[in-house]
Amino acid sequence: MAVQPEQKKQLHFCPLTLAQVPHIAHIERDAYPEPWTFNMLRNELETEHSYFAVMYQDNLLVGYAGYWLILDEAHVTRVTIAPAFRGQGLSRPLMYHLINQAKQDNARYLRLEVRESNKTAIRLYQTLGFVIEGRRVGYYYKTKEDAIVMAKELKRPVKE
């Protein structure tokens, strides 16, 4: 019997809905020492300047990301891959989606903070054209870890 090659799993994105908030809150608790609460996530639906997307692989919720659009800057608030799906290259298409959405929203810059210890994310952001702008000492309350501030000037669309 012939073995069929594995089909590439399809990624798709949709704006966050209230029905997804409990699932996202559960992922938050598994992913972060300082997780966002249900109410914090729900507020993303009510904040006028917020864009928050959920990423599915086939029918599985595998990640999410968002930003606040402030004048011409999209300030990234979250980029998360569910712990069970990390290491599969899903962060890059999630970031492409966020970058392209920010461009559609006429942002000229994308800015974020990342934990100093998150070397994998820092490398990813650098390969996407982000540069290190500075450091926020003790930014993360529970761990007292510094945040690295990174930014990217938005010019042309990237392929998702």
Side-chain angles (χ1 to χ4, degrees):
M1 180 179 344
V3 176
Q4 297 294 322
E6 185 177 327
Q7 289 185 340
K8 186 176 180 181
K9 296 183 179 183
Q10 295 297 310
L11 296 176
H12 63 277
F13 304 88
C14 63
L16 178 68
T17 65
L18 187 58
Q20 296 162 327
V21 169
H23 303 288
I24 301 294
H26 178 77
I27 293 170
E28 280 284 307
R29 288 189 296 276
D30 288 342
Y32 295 106
E34 300 171 50
W36 282 11
T37 65
F38 178 92
N39 286 335
M40 292 167 79
L41 290 161
R42 188 184 64 210
N43 285 340
E44 292 300 304
L45 296 169
E46 300 166 0
T47 301
E48 179 182 344
H49 303 290
S50 174
Y51 174 79
F52 206 94
V54 178
M55 182 173 70
Y56 285 89
Q57 186 176 58
D58 296 328
N59 293 320
L60 296 172
L61 193 160
V62 297
Y64 51 92
Y67 60 77
W68 286 9
L69 186 63
I70 304 165
L71 301 174
D72 65 347
E73 178 182 312
H75 183 86
V76 176
T77 56
R78 265 309 192 242
V79 176
T80 306
I81 299 298
F85 296 94
R86 291 184 181 161
Q88 298 178 25
L90 295 171
S91 295
R92 185 172 299 277
L94 182 58
M95 285 301 300
Y96 285 158
H97 177 78
L98 209 60
I99 290 166
N100 286 330
Q101 183 63 45
K103 287 178 182 181
Q104 287 179 13
D105 286 342
N106 295 314
R108 290 191 57 219
Y109 302 94
L110 201 60
R111 191 164 274 114
L112 56 82
E113 292 93 9
V114 58
R115 287 180 188 278
E116 172 180 47
S117 64
N118 194 344
K119 303 297 185 198
T120 302
I122 292 169
R123 278 191 303 275
L124 169 68
Y125 299 144
Q126 288 174 324
T127 67
L128 293 171
F130 284 79
V131 295
I132 295 173
E133 288 189 327
R135 169 185 305 270
R136 298 190 198 283
V137 177
Y139 182 78
Y140 296 98
Y141 180 75
K142 281 189 179 176
T143 62
K144 307 294 186 227
E145 189 172 358
D146 291 357
I148 303 300
V149 179
M150 302 183 79
K152 173 183 178 63
E153 185 174 359
L154 301 178
K155 295 180 181 171
R156 59 187 186 282
V158 294
K159 186 179 179 194
E160 287 188 34

